[in-house]
Amino acid sequence: VMIKNLSDQFVANPKIEFPQGRLVAAKVTSVDEDAEKLELNLRPSAVLGGDADTLAKQELAALEIGSKIRGTVTRVEPFGVFIRLDGLKSV
């Protein structure tokens, strides 16, 4: 799987984010029978259908003010912190 097709978000280290044995869902994007190869896409927007923006808007619309959620800090910048929300696939 090409790096650009691993995720809708930036993948800094594929070895960490996609360790051996991890179960994934994928969409087959091409098949070359002669070369016995196929190309897969693991991006949630490709696997679940729709584009990343549409999926993100649908998932965010399901949240309500006052909801308690969990997430993982993915990056720290001088202006704030980026958090990947647990349970949301495209946000």
Side-chain angles (χ1 to χ4, degrees), residues 2-67:
M2 296 177 66
I3 289 177
K4 70 178 185 175
N5 292 328
L6 290 177
S7 177
D8 288 319
Q9 288 86 30
F10 175 73
V11 176
N13 189 336
K15 286 184 177 183
I16 292 173
E17 295 191 43
F18 294 91
Q20 284 185 314
R22 178 179 175 183
L23 183 62
V24 298
K27 178 180 180 179
V28 177
T29 56
S30 69
V31 177
D32 184 343
E33 292 180 29
D34 295 332
E36 297 181 346
K37 292 182 181 182
L38 59 96
E39 189 172 329
L40 301 175
N41 190 326
L42 304 182
R43 292 180 294 149
S45 61
V47 175
L48 300 174
D51 60 54
D53 290 339
T54 301
L55 291 171
K57 287 176 185 175
Q58 290 172 347
E59 290 179 334
L60 288 174
L63 294 175
E64 297 178 7
I65 294 175
S67 297

Side-chain angles (χ1 to χ4, degrees), residues 73-78 80-82:
V73 174
T74 59
R75 194 168 84 210
V76 178
E77 296 290 339
V81 176
F82 289 82

